[in-house]
Amino acid sequence: MSDHDDVCVLLPTMNEAETVARVVADFRDAGFENLLVIDGGSTDETRSIAREAGARVVEQSGRGKGQAVREAVRDHVRAPYVLMADADATYDASDAAAMLDPLLDGEADHVIGNRFADMRPGAMTRLNRIGNRLINIAFRAIHRESYRDILSGYRAFTRESFLRLHLTADGFGIETEMAVECVKNRVSVAVVPITYRERPGGSATNLHPVRDGGVIFLELYRKAKTNNPLFYFGSAGAAATAAGLAMGAFVLYRYLAFGISHEVIAVGAVGATILGIQLLVFGVLADMIHSLHREQIARYERTAGDGSAGRSSADGGDRAIGTEEVADSDRTVGGQDTEPDDVAGRDGRGD
């Protein structure tokens, strides 16, 4: 009997034949028997090696890590807790207990492993390190939360909280989307320091820094539409206003200095400035509506909580009153006192 029967270790894979057996073995040695490998159509021996190592293997119906994680949790995981890691041996199975502690203690519903707490030499290139830092800064600026390492693939979460998230990303943007959705849905998040190692020799990464980094930045900005509308519309409005003012300044300079008029550019400058100001105003209004919406949700949740507590108290009071009435009816029959001791005494005198 495993100590972690209520935990499913989820390993999305794609051509990880060099490392998947080692990863599965490490988690089994750490006391995890429920290991699910969801494979994205590997062309090497990843699936057969994972089965031989003791994991349950499922081939995903689509493509991409995001689609694999959603499908796995929705269709193939029944355990209440999920521990997700990459199958490239960069994460340490000995950190699993620390990752699960906030869930098991009820302190959080979603846990992110912070790779920067103990990043070993060679684990991340300089370009990737800079990109990760910029993405975390952008996340903090846009969504007003600091999770330190939103791109970490080492996660632990309750299945129930995961199903509350509206996730659509198919590729490596899934980690970013999970972080944003946790903020949006007010899922409690804990950050745990972990060790991050260099990929073993012979294994190749499926990450494309420039392409995937661009997708992640676009995902952050797209999600700001519903989570921080002031930034979403305000940034576009500020850019349009700045462009309009710059074109207007150019037209004015050319006209005053050389007497040359640029009618088309002038029209474009006016149009861009008006558009920018409108977007800024719309961003302010959208942010007010968003804040009001959050306040209404918080008020509704408080009211619902107070109502549940009130019903529980009322039910308890009704039960107490009912019990007392039954007791009183037992003591009084036809208006005469029928206390057990008195009845016994009268019986004794009658005899």
Side-chain angles (χ1 to χ4, degrees), residues 155-292:
R155 305 282 180 118
F157 46 84
T158 63
R159 183 174 182 270
E160 182 273 333
S161 68
F162 181 89
L163 296 177
R164 285 163 50 196
L165 308 181
H166 179 65
L167 304 173
T168 59
D170 288 333
F172 285 99
I174 184 65
E175 288 91 356
T176 303
E177 193 175 36
M178 289 169 71
V180 172
E181 284 293 307
C182 282
V183 175
K184 182 179 177 181
N185 291 278
R186 291 185 290 180
V187 174
S188 55
V189 176
V191 180
V192 172
I194 60 169
T195 299
Y196 188 62
R197 294 193 170 91
E198 183 181 8
R199 290 179 66 97
S203 63
T205 180
N206 296 313
L207 179 68
H208 301 277
V210 177
R211 183 195 68 190
D212 293 323
V215 170
I216 290 168
F217 271 112
L218 287 175
E219 185 67 23
L220 278 176
Y221 184 75
R222 185 176 68 86
K223 287 289 186 180
K225 178 170 58 177
T226 54
N227 200 39
N228 189 355
L230 180 58
F231 177 88
Y232 182 81
F233 294 105
S235 58
T241 302
L245 292 176
M247 288 190 292
F250 172 77
V251 170
L252 185 62
Y253 168 75
R254 294 281 290 177
Y255 180 76
L256 294 176
F258 306 104
I260 301 173
S261 61
H262 296 276
E263 290 83 0
V264 175
I265 298 178
V267 171
V270 173
T273 304
I274 293 175
L275 175 63
I277 294 173
Q278 287 179 332
L279 286 172
L280 286 169
V281 172
F282 188 77
V284 172
L285 294 175
D287 189 68
M288 292 173 59
I289 295 171
H290 180 259
S291 299
L292 202 62

Side-chain angles (χ1 to χ4, degrees), residues 3-4 6-7 9 26-27 29-32 81-85 91-107 111-113 154-157 190-195:
D3 294 334
H4 302 290
D6 54 354
V7 179
V9 178
D26 286 347
F27 277 106
D29 291 342
F32 297 91
Y81 303 106
V82 179
L83 180 65
M84 185 180 82
Y91 296 112
D92 198 334
S94 63
D95 289 327
M99 292 286 294
L100 290 168
D101 281 344
L103 301 183
L104 301 177
D105 294 340
E107 298 173 358
V111 181
I112 300 174
Y154 209 0
R155 305 282 180 118
F157 46 84
V191 180
V192 172
I194 60 169
T195 299

